[in-house]
Amino acid sequence: MKFFIDTANLAQIKEANDLGILDGVTTNPSLMAKEGIKGEEAILKHYKTICELVDGDISAEVLSTDFAGMVDEGKKLAAIHPNIVVKVPMIKEGVKALKWFTDNGIKTNCTLVFSAGQAILAAKAGATYVSPFIGRIDDSGWDGLELISQMRQIYSIQGFKTEILAASIRNPNHIIKCAEQGADVCTCPLDSILGLLKHPLTDIGLAKFLEDAKKM
Ligand code: G3P
């Protein structure tokens, strides 16, 4: 399973990248706004900076909701760097845009996916990645991990090449469960990635080893 970080914060991207286990970055308009990135020039520049920091796929989301607008924006985003993946919302115009990007060799990430039906459409349109938002599904009282499992089954039976990119991760256990369910990628906040490191017995064990090392 590939690890992406789900942020537009450069310090967090660097910290995750320094671990040596980072395969890419996902952003969205909310995450960009959180970093105070405003205006087309600043947005494109920020994506370029991220591409220079991390050697992996970097998702950059279109803001248009019509086919022509998405294609125009997607072309501009894809021109920033070969690692840019154009992030497209799961709406009717988005499906058309996904197909256009697929036919024109531009990588895509279909976002805001909450059902198996949407996941099938994204795969049919040739999306490179599809992003089920498992945390938001859990928040609504449904089971996000169940969707990952259903998508894995459908994609495997049907031979769809689209990679399942589990998004809206809330905690380390989500990451472990996504790995169990066969997600291809997990995009996570830095805290959830670092949470995987933690175990009290590791800390206790290390303290004892270091104490005993003084007697060596
Ligand atoms: O980047 C898309 C997704 O990961 C958003 O997560 O935490 O806003 O539900 P969240």
Side-chain angles (χ1 to χ4, degrees):
M1 187 172 77
K2 287 186 266 187
F3 268 53
F4 289 0
I5 186 164
D6 195 27
T7 185
N9 181 281
L10 297 180
Q12 291 189 9
I13 292 171
K14 274 185 207 147
E15 189 175 339
N17 199 41
D18 285 349
L19 278 174
I21 51 91
L22 195 66
D23 301 297
V25 180
T26 52
T27 62
N28 63 39
S30 307
L31 295 171
M32 291 288 278
K34 200 171 156 194
E35 298 309 313
I37 318 295
K38 262 191 185 158
E40 190 183 352
E41 200 181 323
I43 292 169
L44 298 179
K45 189 166 165 264
H46 200 74
Y47 287 139
K48 190 164 187 283
T49 305
I50 296 174
C51 289
E52 285 160 0
L53 278 177
V54 177
D55 183 18
D57 281 348
I58 313 296
S59 287
E61 189 156 341
V62 297
L63 304 175
S64 301
T65 52
D66 63 296
F67 171 77
M70 287 186 203
V71 167
D72 266 5
E73 265 188 70
K75 284 197 276 191
K76 267 188 212 162
L77 292 170
I80 298 172
H81 193 278
N83 288 349
I84 286 284
V85 176
V86 179
K87 206 169 176 187
V88 177
M90 172 35 79
I91 55 176
K92 196 172 173 187
E93 294 290 289
V95 173
K96 291 186 212 170
L98 285 171
K99 181 69 170 75
W100 189 91
F101 290 127
T102 304
D103 292 345
N104 287 275
I106 292 174
K107 287 181 285 187
T108 52
N109 175 358
C110 180
T111 188
L112 290 167
V113 166
F114 295 92
S115 76
Q118 292 176 327
I120 291 172
L121 275 180
K124 286 294 291 176
T128 315
Y129 298 102
V130 60
S131 292
F133 279 26
I134 68 169
R136 292 193 197 183
I137 294 174
D138 287 358
D139 294 345
S140 318
W142 296 69
D143 186 348
L145 289 161
E146 180 59 38
L147 176 60
I148 301 290
S149 161
Q150 193 182 15
M151 284 171 62
R152 177 72 286 148
Q153 197 185 356
I154 292 169
Y155 278 20
S156 299
I157 289 169
Q158 298 297 333
F160 288 140
K161 299 283 179 283
T162 299
E163 292 189 48
I164 299 171
L165 193 170
S168 186
I169 297 294
R170 298 274 189 265
N171 54 58
N173 200 44
H174 265 161
I175 304 176
I176 296 163
K177 292 290 173 189
C178 283
E180 271 182 13
Q181 303 297 344
D184 299 291
V185 191
C186 209
T187 190
C188 324
L190 181 61
D191 280 357
S192 298
I193 298 175
L194 297 180
L196 293 173
L197 282 167
K198 291 181 196 158
H199 198 288
L201 291 179
T202 304
D203 299 337
I204 293 166
L206 182 62
K208 175 89 170 94
F209 283 154
L210 293 177
E211 190 53 38
D212 289 346
K214 291 178 193 156
K215 304 170 200 155
M216 281 164 61

